[in-house]
Amino acid sequence: MSYRLDAVVGEFDHLRGWAEGVPGALVAPLRQRMGLLPLSTALRGDLPGMLRDLSRRGPVAHVEADFWGGEGDQKAALWRAGVQEWGPVHTSDFSGAREDWPINAALARLGVAWAGPGAPDHRDLFVEVGLGQGRDEEDWRRAALRARDAADYDEWHAREQAEREREQRAAAERALYERLPGIPVPLGGKEIIALLGLPQGRTIAAAIRHLQQLHIDRGPQSREEAEAALRAWAAEQGLTAATARRGDTASPRAHRPASADHCRGQ
């Protein structure tokens, strides 16, 4: 698998302010208020002049990486207030400490913060800031286009956070109906339909998932225990054959694990 990077990294809003007046210049958002400006052939025409201009708005790093199948090299330099302050530093030897690798060292000079100890790759700012999210210039241009209508970093970040929360809610909703592999239930779908008088559909899938959760929380259930638990569950959800026939669209409320009720009562 290949990875190619030739870009300028700096504070997102500063890079966006500069790019607004430059044809073809787009800035992709990264984490920690950073942004990435992929360098097209046209933008590389007067790279030192561009870096001088950009760095007068705030410090920027010119970062390059080229990898194929785990082998490659990277280079980085830091510009501040119109001058090259550090680098360029180049390496193809990654056996040393990660914080000394050129791009990580440049990101540290930009003020990117390390993840806390215990986090995955907590000494790798390349990962922490999100430089692994794209693999080439086209990936970064697509990311930049998706963020182009955001007024600033804060607006983009709020929108992304809202989207993540929507995805989490959707995943939690789907989980209510997904059967867990390897967890047995004492009643099958047809038996649950007959017991509760409900039609086949998402509600029956939710009932099976409820029985599986009971198995996890309390251990194996007898048939009689499962039937009683399902009747109580259906009553708690307000489920009747009539409500289920109205499209089977009512979402059962999230199941509270039995262990949570046990702990609450202590």
Side-chain angles (χ1 to χ4, degrees):
M1 185 176 291
S2 65
Y3 179 90
R4 294 182 62 86
L5 178 67
D6 186 7
V8 176
V9 175
E11 203 274 335
F12 177 82
D13 291 336
H14 289 169
L15 292 181
R16 275 275 295 268
W18 178 89
E20 286 175 357
V22 180
L26 293 169
V27 180
L30 298 172
R31 302 187 191 111
Q32 299 194 28
R33 308 194 71 83
M34 292 288 112
L36 180 145
L37 170 67
L39 292 175
S40 62
T41 301
L43 290 176
R44 288 187 62 89
D46 180 17
L47 184 57
M50 186 187 77
L51 291 169
R52 279 195 296 270
D53 189 19
L54 273 170
S55 67
R56 291 189 179 101
R57 295 170 173 261
V60 296
H62 176 213
V63 296
E64 298 177 81
D66 193 351
F67 286 86
W68 176 265
E71 300 292 329
D73 58 4
Q74 61 176 234
K75 182 168 67 172
L78 186 81
W79 288 69
R80 191 189 306 270
V83 298
Q84 185 170 291
E85 182 180 273
W86 173 86
V89 177
H90 170 271
T91 192
S92 57
D93 177 10
F94 299 97
S95 60
R98 291 190 177 195
E99 54 263 41
D100 295 332
W101 297 355
I103 293 179
N104 282 340
L107 292 172
R109 286 168 168 80
L110 284 176
V112 177
W114 303 102
D121 299 315
H122 77 279
R123 300 301 291 176
D124 196 337
L125 292 180
F126 184 102
V127 174
E128 182 64 25
V129 83
L131 285 176
Q133 297 175 105
R135 306 204 67 81
D136 54 31
E137 181 184 336
E138 284 307 307
D139 284 349
W140 291 115
R141 289 184 67 82
R142 283 193 290 269
L145 287 170
R146 288 195 298 271
R148 187 164 58 176
D149 61 340
D152 53 23
Y153 188 90
D154 288 332
E155 181 176 315
W156 169 82
H157 186 269
R159 190 172 65 190
E160 289 295 299
Q161 181 64 28
E163 179 61 27
R164 284 193 294 271
E165 290 174 356
R166 281 194 295 271
E167 291 174 355
Q168 290 168 356
R169 288 193 297 270
E173 177 72 12
R174 289 193 301 272
L176 291 172
Y177 307 100
E178 292 175 355
R179 186 164 186 157
L180 298 170
I183 306 297
V185 291
L187 298 173
K190 291 181 179 179
E191 294 168 308
I192 295 173
I193 290 171
L195 175 71
L196 300 180
L198 300 175
Q200 178 66 51
R202 284 161 56 91
T203 302
I204 302 304
I208 292 173
R209 176 60 184 265
H210 177 69
L211 288 180
Q212 289 187 306
Q213 189 64 50
L214 288 176
H215 182 98
I216 294 170
D217 293 342
R218 302 174 182 174
Q221 306 283 294
S222 69
R223 182 184 183 90
E224 292 73 19
E225 289 172 328
E227 289 178 351
L230 280 183
R231 289 192 184 98
W233 173 80
E236 180 186 345
Q237 307 300 320
L239 293 173
T240 66
T243 59
R245 279 193 293 270
R246 290 201 293 267
D248 197 33
T249 57
S251 299
R253 293 190 290 274
H255 166 72
R256 176 188 294 275
S259 56
D261 291 327
H262 173 72
C263 293
R264 185 176 61 177
Q266 292 181 339

